[in-house]
């Protein structure tokens, strides 16, 4: 047996049940702002969702992420104030007809969720030259986002809600959390058990914006190239209908 | 029954089997460069993995992604040439002792995989002011990365390998694929059935870089803050051992 063969995974295909679990998780994941319960997140569950993040892909295997678990009420109060300041600025940018509905949306659960979590990217984690990052320097940030998405899916499967707070000035987060200049706060997340998950994304059910048709987003070989052939277009529409029904 | 109640998902918790499927997928996902088979990807399977991408979170529900399916040999030959040029530049940046092992690595499967796929981000998809993007303008790019990770996981569950080619000059991709200035090529992916998945990340088994200890990456309340308490630290170590065993 060669070294490569011995390093093969026992089976190529995951089971149909595994696949179903993945799709059910992806399709029922939500950005949670208003349904948090105050129960603490058990250590074992928190550990599993952090492991899911840590097993994300990373450019040059640099694993640039760190996880700051924010339980301190003082730190959270400062983050909440930073959100409030940014949100007032943001609301003023929308045209009048949108500004009122913007202000009616609940956009974060910083104080409601039992746990906040900042996922950061240390841009120097693997030294100055990183395999795969020399022409796309942002690949370390993108790797960190893959970790965020893995954590989000694992949280959903564990019955935990996650909300990503992006209405915040990164420089203020940097200051509040004491991040060195080389460390970027990629995602500030609210995390916790929830009373329920919504059936549809909140921004869709509140009329902010609707899901696009996938088949309109696919082109062949170049931007503005041929649309998918009729068989693929039908498969895309069928798959989206299946997804809308919950997978 | 209130409107909110009627919009609840039928159950809060996915099943234990669903959760197991998610973790098995996350933990066995690989960046594939060398194990592609030439069999075409069936339309139904391609449609499901694209749906998984399309159901990623996006800032302000803007859904900024598009999917360019690259089957044309001419287009792929140009992308391969762009990779070769960038790779020669990248190899020259490593110190002498790393440069030789760098050159020995297979880093892409552009011509081997039956399908290439560029996932782009249209920064104007939802107009100039986007909910949640005013203080973090990169949130649309991050949303697109979430779509990449969803697709990657779905592909793994379907038995398809994915390799992310980041050793490429984005301006050349922009030119080859005819992308307008407002559209960013976030990820150029190789996709297809594979002979096998490797048990460990290739860069780890080839000695490039090893997996870090998760418990070293977690701190409380601020950068350099307290380490996790002993119960959480043990849970993190246990979860990582479970992950290393395949979940």
């Amino acid at each position: 047996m060669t070294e490569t063969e011995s390093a093969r995974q026992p089976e190529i295909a995951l089971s149909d049940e595994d696949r179903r679990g993945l799709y059910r998780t992806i399709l029922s994941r939500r950005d949670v702002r208003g349904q948090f319960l105050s129960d603490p997140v058990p250590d074992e569950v928190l550990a599993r969702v952090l492991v899911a993040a840590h097993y994300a892909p990373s450019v040059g295997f640099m694993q640039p992420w760190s996880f700051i678990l924010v339980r301190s009420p003082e730190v959270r109060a400062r983050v909440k104030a930073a959100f409030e300041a940014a949100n007032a600025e943001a609301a003023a940018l929308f045209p009048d007809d949108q500004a009122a509905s913007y202000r009616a949306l609940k956009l974060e659960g910083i104080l409601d969720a039992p746990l906040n979590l900042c996922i950061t990217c240390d841009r120097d984690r693997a030294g100055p030259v990183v395999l795969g990052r020399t022409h796309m320097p942002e690949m370390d940030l993108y790797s960190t986002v893959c970790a965020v998405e893995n954590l989000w899916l694992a949280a959903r499967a564990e019955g935990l809600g996650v909300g990503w707070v992006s209405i915040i000035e990164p420089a203020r987060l940097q200051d509040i959390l004491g991040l060195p200049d080389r460390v970027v706060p990629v995602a500030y997340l609210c995390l916790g058990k929830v009373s329920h998950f919504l059936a549809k994304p909140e921004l869709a059910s509140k009329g902010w914006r609707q899901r696009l048709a996938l088949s309109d987003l696919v082109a062949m070989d170049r931007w503005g190239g041929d649309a998918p052939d009729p068989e693929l277009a039908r498969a895309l529409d069928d798959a989206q209908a299946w997804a809308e029904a919950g997978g």
Side-chain angles (χ1 to χ4, degrees), chain A:
Chain A
M1 191 188 286
T2 66
E3 191 183 358
T4 307
E5 280 168 343
S6 70
R8 288 180 183 196
Q9 291 187 4
E11 72 262 67
I12 291 179
L14 299 180
S15 70
D16 288 348
E17 289 69 30
D18 291 334
R19 189 156 60 93
R20 176 169 169 276
L22 174 69
Y23 283 119
R24 280 170 51 95
T25 307
I26 285 175
L27 299 173
S28 62
R29 184 207 47 74
R30 293 288 173 267
D31 193 332
V32 173
R33 295 101 180 256
Q35 295 85 40
F36 288 110
L37 303 175
S38 57
D39 324 31
V41 179
D43 282 349
E44 296 71 26
V45 176
L46 179 57
R48 283 196 297 268
V49 303
L50 290 171
V51 155
H54 188 43
Y55 280 68
S58 67
V59 65
F61 205 33
M62 72 181 282
Q63 309 160 71
W65 40 71
S66 297
F67 307 96
I68 302 181
L69 305 176
V70 183
R71 288 178 170 146
S72 152
E74 292 74 23
V75 176
R76 289 218 241 169
R78 293 186 65 195
V79 173
K80 173 82 172 183
F83 163 80
E84 298 287 2
N87 200 39
E89 290 169 10
L93 297 176
F94 285 95
D96 286 348
D97 56 331
Q98 277 196 306
S101 59
Y102 179 86
R103 289 197 183 84
L105 295 167
K106 177 164 172 61
L107 296 172
E108 51 73 42
I110 296 166
L111 303 182
D112 309 324
L115 183 63
N116 289 191
L117 167 62
C118 187
I119 304 187
T120 62
C121 176
D122 182 345
R123 310 207 70 179
D124 288 350
R125 176 68 51 83
V129 185
V130 174
L131 185 159
R133 202 186 56 175
T134 57
H135 290 78
M136 290 186 66
E138 66 277 26
M139 281 300 294
D140 53 355
L141 300 169
Y142 290 180
S143 302
T144 305
V145 174
C146 289
V148 174
E149 180 63 1
N150 270 14
L151 177 135
W152 205 335
L153 293 170
R156 175 63 188 88
E158 299 278 4
L160 300 176
V162 169
W164 185 329
V165 184
S166 63
I167 304 170
I168 205 156
E169 189 63 64
R172 287 201 60 184
L173 260 188
Q174 197 104 16
D175 175 48
I176 295 168
L177 300 177
L179 303 180
D181 287 346
R182 69 175 197 278
V183 176
V184 176
V186 169
Y188 193 88
L189 305 173
C190 305
L191 186 74
K193 293 186 189 179
V194 292
S195 58
H196 60 284
F197 289 96
L198 297 174
K200 298 282 174 196
E202 203 161 356
L203 292 183
S205 54
K206 292 195 171 157
W208 187 263
R209 193 169 160 80
Q210 299 305 316
R211 179 94 58 191
L212 303 176
L214 173 60
S215 52
D216 291 343
L217 302 177
V218 178
M220 307 305 296
D221 294 323
R222 51 182 292 117
W223 186 265
D226 290 345
D229 62 50
E231 290 73 26
L232 177 56
R234 191 167 52 237
L236 293 169
D237 290 339
D238 289 351
Q240 186 159 7
W242 163 82
E244 282 299 305

